[in-house]
Amino acid sequence: MEQYHDIGIYPALQASAGGKISSAVGEPMNPLPQNLQREAERIASRHPCPAFYVQFKAPLSFARRLFFNHPLLILLRDRLEPVLQEDLGHGMYHSARVSIDGAALIQAEMETNPMEPARLERLILMGLIAGLLHDISRGEERHAEVGAREALRYLEALPLQTEEIECICQAIRNHEAFVTPKTCARPSFQLVSDCLYDADKFRWGPDTFTHTLWHMMNYQELTAQELIARFPWGMTGMVRIADTFRTATGRQFGPEIIETGMEIGKEIYRYLVQHFGD
């Protein structure tokens, strides 16, 4: 049985061409959250790899190649690198993972509805761009709506068609959890929107405990005791997200990703209580 390990699934987000995205973009973490993140990674490495990352290795590989090699993605990543910081755990590393998973979901969804290869690749490209831009305004209230407007500034500077820009902005508007999404004008727009949402919610699984939690702890300057107090509430949110996946592939594979994260989280909580609880 394959095991879950961040480096095993995405070799440091290493592409076949050699590009990678560090999980430590921005200021270095303080010693406590950094050490806890390392412990969490050790705990996560003992857990089975979710089936999505086993069954869809080929679409994930294709998405990574586009992500690291397509001129539009290279240009956009360069422009976003100074903007997407990991203060809240939703910077370039998070966005790259959403981007790649979302593109793989588009391919998976289209397996039963064949499309001309050039059109499909262009649709996958829209998914990759949406993933990179989706959290550009993460720190703002109503960040999905604000982010769609902010993303427009970057999109209008790229050689994209008007309808492609509309597709990406609609997907960004619709990616927030527990908010009713707006129906998209075209089936292809809807697919990109739903795949972006599901890929973003995949991050509520193991990524919560191998990455996001510790950046948020560091940014908010939480003590271990404060983190312990908030832990059960955070786990409740994970349970709720498991029923919200929008694509057939997401509904099939997403709950297992969330469950894997839950099991990792339970072990981390026990570790925290054992070493830092009163």
Side-chain angles (χ1 to χ4, degrees), residues 36-195:
L36 289 173
Q37 182 179 21
R38 289 172 180 165
E39 180 62 32
E41 289 169 349
R42 284 193 288 271
I43 290 171
S45 71
R46 300 194 292 265
H47 285 258
C49 176
F52 176 80
Y53 299 102
V54 177
Q55 183 160 332
F56 296 104
K57 285 182 177 179
L60 286 162
S61 177
F62 180 72
R64 282 196 295 271
R65 287 199 299 273
L66 277 183
F67 182 88
F68 285 109
N69 293 284
H70 195 284
L72 281 182
L73 271 298
I74 294 171
L75 177 62
L76 188 58
R77 288 204 325 272
D78 287 344
R79 292 177 178 176
L80 291 175
E81 192 76 45
V83 178
L84 295 178
Q85 298 299 314
E86 291 296 341
D87 291 343
L88 295 172
H90 289 77
M92 180 61 80
Y93 183 74
H94 165 87
S95 297
R97 291 172 74 89
V98 172
S99 182
I100 291 168
D101 279 12
L105 279 166
I106 290 171
Q107 295 174 77
E109 287 292 297
M110 293 303 293
E111 283 182 353
T112 57
N113 185 23
M115 180 183 287
E116 195 269 325
R119 285 186 59 211
L120 178 57
E121 182 171 323
R122 195 70 184 179
L123 198 63
I124 291 166
L125 184 64
M126 297 305 101
L128 288 166
I129 293 172
L132 263 181
L133 285 165
H134 80 285
D135 271 344
I136 194 169
S137 298
R138 186 64 178 82
E140 302 289 335
E141 187 176 351
R142 298 176 67 245
H143 79 277
E145 178 62 38
V146 175
R149 293 197 297 268
E150 178 66 14
L152 186 61
R153 296 197 306 111
Y154 291 85
L155 295 170
E156 289 179 337
L158 298 176
L160 297 170
Q161 298 176 12
T162 301
E163 59 267 26
E164 292 175 332
I165 293 175
E166 181 184 353
C167 171
I168 294 165
C169 288
Q170 286 186 353
I172 294 171
R173 286 192 184 93
N174 280 341
H175 87 271
E176 194 166 354
F178 311 123
V179 175
T180 303
K182 294 182 180 179
T183 302
C184 297
R186 303 183 187 181
S188 59
F189 290 14
Q190 192 68 54
L191 177 63
V192 172
S193 176
D194 292 346
C195 289

Side-chain angles (χ1 to χ4, degrees), residues 20 32 34-35 64 72 95-96 115 122 134 140-141 197 204 211 241 244 254 268:
K20 66 178 182 179
L32 179 58
Q34 186 176 61
N35 291 336
R64 282 196 295 271
L72 281 182
S95 297
M115 180 183 287
R122 195 70 184 179
H134 80 285
E140 302 289 335
E141 187 176 351
Y197 178 88
W204 287 50
H211 178 73
I241 209 71
T244 70
I268 292 169

